[in-house]
């Protein structure tokens, strides 16, 4: 996951609507079923999907009252903590 990408997507959700990101995730997930995709292409799609889910999670925390910067930092700490475990 990349914090700048999640930050940008979070801004997009704030300016538009979360539904756009959810529908994009669904589209990308459907693309992963194409049998001719290479592993590298699947990795890129997976990275995009995980960043979008991350932005949705950050947006949820912001809606619950967490300041944007704190929500982003908290989310990334959680992600890094789960990687270290």
């Amino acid at each position: 996951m990349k914090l700048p990408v999640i930050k940008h997507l979070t801004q997009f959700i704030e300016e538009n609507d979360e539904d756009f990101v959810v529908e994009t995730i669904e589209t990308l997930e459907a693309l992963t079923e194409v049998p001719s995709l290479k592993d590298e292409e699947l990795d890129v799609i997976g990275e995009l999907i995980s960043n979008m889910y991350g932005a949705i999670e950050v947006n949820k925390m912001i809606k619950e009252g967490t300041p944007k910067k704190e929500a982003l930092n908290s989310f990334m700490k959680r992600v890094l903590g789960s990687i270290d475990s």
Side-chain angles (χ1 to χ4, degrees):
M1 292 189 168
K2 304 234 182 268
L3 185 58
V5 174
I6 293 172
K7 187 175 181 180
H8 187 79
L9 287 167
T10 301
Q11 185 66 38
F12 177 85
I13 291 170
E14 289 174 1
E15 293 172 0
N16 296 280
D17 192 342
E18 187 176 301
D19 289 341
F20 287 112
V21 175
V22 171
E23 290 170 0
T24 302
I25 290 170
E26 292 170 356
T27 303
L28 290 171
E29 286 176 342
L31 279 175
T32 64
E33 298 172 13
V34 174
S36 61
L37 284 178
K38 297 175 185 163
D39 287 343
E40 298 84 20
E41 294 166 327
L42 287 171
D43 289 344
V44 170
I45 292 171
E47 182 70 18
L48 289 168
I49 291 170
S50 66
N51 284 314
M52 289 180 191
Y53 275 123
I56 289 171
E57 182 66 26
V58 169
N59 187 58
K60 179 182 171 189
M61 294 188 318
I62 292 169
K63 283 182 179 178
E64 292 170 350
T66 306
K68 186 177 187 176
K69 185 175 181 178
E70 186 180 324
L72 286 162
N73 288 334
S74 172
F75 177 77
M76 288 310 293
K77 283 179 187 173
R78 219 172 53 216
V79 168
L80 293 174
S82 69
I83 292 171
D84 291 338
S85 298

